[in-house]
Amino acid sequence: MSDLADLTLAAAAGGLRSGDLSAVELLEAVHRRAAMTEANLHAYLTLDREGAARAAVGADAGFKRGADLGPLQGIPVALKDNMVTRGLETTCSSKILAGYLPPYDGTATTRLRAGGAVILGKTNLDEFAMGSSTENSAYGTSRNPWDPDRVPGGSSGGSAAAVAAGSAMVAFGSDTGGSIRQPAALCGIVGMKPTYGLVSRYGLIAFASSLDQIGPLARSVEDAVAALEVVGGYDPADSTSYPGAVPDYRSGLESGVSGLRIGVVTELNGAGIEPAVQAAVNRTLDQLENAGATIVQLSLPSVEYALSAYYLIAPAECSANLARFDGVRYGLRRLGENVEEMMSNTRAEGFGPEVTRRILLGTYALSAGYYDAFYGQAQRVRTLIIRDFQAAYEQADVLVSPTSPTTAFPIGARTDDPLSMYMSDVCTIPSNLSGDPAISVPVGLDDAGLPIGFQVMAPALGEPVMFRVAAEVERLAAFGVRAPLASSEVG
Ligand code: GLN
C-alpha cells in the first residue's frame, strides 16, 4: 500500500503494534489526504489539528509503554457533527448552533478517547441529521469521492465521504432512518446501525429519540466491528441503553454462511429499485447460495407503510427534541420586543427549511384532535412492522435487500422534491422502526462507476450473525475498489 491513508483500520492497528508505523505518521498521512481532497469534498466542518496531534503523540507514548487500549489506539477517527465534543465546535450543521462549544463529551466520544483514538474533527451532515444527501447542511454540501457532482448520501455524508476518500480511517455517524447505511452505500464503504440501545446516545444531539443510534462507517466489516467494540455497551447516562453484556462480534467473521437462512424481503427488492442495483444484489444472493446459504423469499407486508409511519414518528419526536433550541441556552440568539419574539426570531433565522418542515409536521401530528389519527396510527403501524420482522426472523437468520434504491444521485436532483429525497431511505427505515441492527456492504459498481450497497438486517442483538453474513458478502463481492478521489493522482 503506497499511502498510509489508504490502510484499513485492521492493517494500521497491526502496523502500530509491530512498530512498523506510528500514530503520528498515520495522522500526517491522513492530514495530507484531507489537504488534497477537502477543497473538493467538504467532508469536514471542523478539523482539530492540535487535538489530533496531541492524541497521536499520546497513543504512540502508550504503545512505547506497552499499553494497549484496544483496536482504535492511534487510529484517526472522524465524528459526525451531531456528537458533542468538549470544547470543539458542534453545530449539527445548523446555524442555530453556530459557535457552540459543548461543555462535555458524549459517551461514545469519551470511550473513543479512553481507547486511544485520534479524533480528527467533525464531519458535515444534513442539518440535525434530517436528510439523505448533506444538501440540507447550513454549511454547504459534501461531495461524493466517486463523482464530486453527486451527493455522498446523508445524513452522515461527511463521515462517509471522509472514510471513502482516506481523510479518516473510520468515522462515526448516527442512523435514525438510514443515515449511516445509505451514505456508506453511496460512497462504497461499510456502514452499520447497531441494535437500538447498544451504543449510548448520551451526547448525541437528539433528532428522533426512539430511532437514533450511533454507529461506525468503515472500509471493511472487520473495521466496523473494531469501531463498535470500542463505543458499544451499557451506559447509565442513557436510559435506553441496553444493560446486558456486549456480544462477541468477531468470532463468527470467518465462519461463512453455510447452513444459514437468508431471507429476501419481497417488498424491499425489485419494484422501485434501480435495475443495476437489483442486479448486483441478485448476483450476491447467487454467490451466497453457492457458499452454502439457503435463500428464502419472505414478505413483510406492513413494511409498505414504513416510510409513512416514519415521517410521522420522526418529525413528532423531532418537534419535541428541537424545542430546546430557543435562543435561551445554546448558540444563536436574535433579540425581539419580548421573550416570545426573541424565540421566534431565533428559530426563524436559525433553522433551515427541512428542519422547519419537520417541526411543523411533527407539531401538527401531535396536536389535539390529530394525535390519534396521525401519531397514534403511526405507532400502531410500527407495532405491525415489528411483528412482521419477528415472524420473518422465525424463518430466516438474516434478511437482505439493497441498502438504497439508487446509486449516488446528482447534487440538486432531489432538493426540490422532499418526497423523492425521503424515498432514498425506503429500504433502511424498517430496521430503525423495529430497533434491529443492519449493515451495508459494497458489492459492485453501476455502469456509471458508482458504488452499490447490499443490506444485511438481523433481529435485535443479532449483530454476531449480521457481521458473519456481512463478512462473507464482503469476501464474495471482493469489491476492493477505492474512490477515484482517494487516489493520489486526483486532488
Ligand atoms: N433521511 C432520513 C431523514 O431525513 C433519515 C435521517 C437519519 O437517519 N438521520 O429523516
Side-chain angles (χ1 to χ4, degrees):
M1 187 68 63
S2 55
D3 190 327
L4 296 179
D6 291 317
L7 292 178
T8 60
L9 184 167
L16 288 167
R17 275 161 187 77
S18 67
D20 287 344
L21 54 99
S22 71
V24 169
E25 278 177 296
L26 208 54
L27 176 63
E28 280 167 3
V30 169
H31 274 162
R32 270 197 306 277
R33 181 61 60 83
M36 209 171 72
T37 55
E38 265 307 286
N40 231 322
L41 296 183
H42 187 41
Y44 284 92
L45 294 178
T46 307
L47 268 169
D48 179 19
R49 289 177 184 281
E50 280 173 30
R54 264 197 314 276
V57 169
D60 283 334
F63 282 122
K64 276 216 181 70
R65 282 199 311 274
D68 197 327
L69 301 175
L72 295 189
Q73 181 173 348
I75 301 294
V77 173
L79 304 180
K80 186 176 183 176
D81 202 30
N82 59 353
M83 297 169 71
V84 305
T85 41
R86 189 172 166 187
L88 186 60
E89 187 176 1
T90 301
T91 67
C92 244
S93 286
S94 181
K95 280 196 271 184
I96 211 157
L97 279 176
Y100 173 58
L101 298 177
Y104 71 108
D105 278 331
T107 299
T109 306
T110 302
R111 290 183 181 181
L112 288 168
R113 292 198 205 279
V118 174
I119 294 176
L120 294 160
K122 313 296 292 290
T123 55
N124 197 15
L125 64 149
D126 288 291
E127 185 176 3
F128 283 102
M130 297 170 197
S132 307
S133 67
T134 75
E135 290 165 296
N136 296 336
S137 168
Y139 304 110
T141 303
S142 298
R143 290 165 182 270
N144 192 311
W146 294 81
D147 176 353
D149 292 331
R150 292 176 187 264
V151 303
S155 63
S156 315
S159 286
V163 172
S167 55
M169 198 154 273
V170 63
F172 287 85
S174 63
D175 192 312
T176 304
S179 276
I180 292 172
R181 292 162 285 160
Q182 184 259 13
L186 270 46
C187 289
I189 58 168
V190 172
M192 186 260 162
K193 181 196 88 78
T195 301
Y196 182 76
L198 203 63
V199 180
S200 169
R201 291 180 299 108
Y202 180 68
L204 172 69
I205 296 176
F207 163 12
S209 306
S210 77
L211 302 160
D212 299 340
Q213 259 300 282
I214 290 174
L217 298 99
R219 297 204 192 118
S220 74
V221 173
E222 188 188 355
D223 287 5
V225 165
L228 183 60
E229 280 171 344
V230 173
V231 299
Y234 179 62
D235 174 18
D238 175 357
S239 64
T240 62
S241 178
Y242 172 67
V246 171
D248 166 16
Y249 310 124
R250 262 178 209 270
S251 58
L253 290 181
E254 306 291 331
S255 305
V257 289
S258 180
L260 290 182
R261 299 162 305 167
I262 295 179
V264 180
V265 182
T266 306
E267 291 80 4
L268 302 181
N269 285 271
I273 309 293
E274 252 175 26
V277 172
Q278 192 62 52
V281 167
N282 292 346
R283 192 173 60 239
T284 305
L285 284 168
D286 289 342
Q287 291 172 326
L288 286 166
E289 190 164 28
N290 289 334
T294 307
I295 310 294
V296 285
Q297 193 75 34
L298 285 172
S299 172
L300 299 176
S302 308
V303 140
E304 198 187 324
Y305 305 105
L307 204 65
S308 314
Y310 173 89
Y311 276 100
L312 288 166
I313 293 168
E317 293 183 12
C318 119
S319 72
N321 276 325
L322 270 59
R324 75 191 65 178
F325 302 104
D326 52 12
V328 177
R329 285 162 293 188
Y330 320 90
L332 189 78
R333 175 179 301 159
R334 286 288 172 264
L335 296 175
E337 293 292 304
N338 50 44
V339 171
E340 208 178 312
E341 216 180 281
M342 182 275 286
M343 289 183 180
S344 161
N345 290 346
T346 301
R347 292 162 70 88
E349 187 177 325
F351 288 136
E354 183 62 26
V355 174
T356 306
R357 182 180 297 120
R358 304 276 179 114
I359 293 173
L360 290 174
L361 248 169
T363 307
Y364 186 77
L366 289 175
S367 58
Y370 295 104
Y371 181 95
D372 197 56
F374 292 118
Y375 185 69
Q377 183 76 352
Q379 291 289 29
R380 284 188 283 276
V381 169
R382 185 174 188 176
T383 302
L384 293 177
I385 290 169
I386 291 169
R387 287 192 192 142
D388 277 2
F389 269 112
Q390 282 166 346
Y393 287 127
E394 301 273 308
Q395 296 169 62
D397 299 292
V398 297
L399 301 175
V400 298
S401 75
T403 306
S404 158
T406 69
T407 52
F409 44 92
I411 289 173
R414 298 187 188 173
T415 36
D416 294 335
D417 182 0
L419 212 57
S420 80
M421 190 70 90
Y422 297 173
M423 288 303 289
S424 310
D425 299 301
V426 69
C427 298
T428 46
I429 278 174
S431 303
N432 295 87
L433 290 170
S434 66
D436 298 335
I439 190 168
S440 179
V441 181
V443 292
L445 299 175
D446 70 4
D447 289 342
L450 300 166
I452 295 166
F454 182 92
Q455 179 175 233
V456 181
M457 301 168 267
L461 299 172
E463 275 85 356
V465 69
M466 180 202 74
F467 280 129
R468 177 177 162 192
V469 174
E472 183 69 10
V473 168
E474 184 176 56
R475 276 189 292 273
L476 293 168
F479 182 67
V481 223
R482 297 298 312 283
L485 260 183
S487 88
S488 7
E489 286 80 53
V490 195

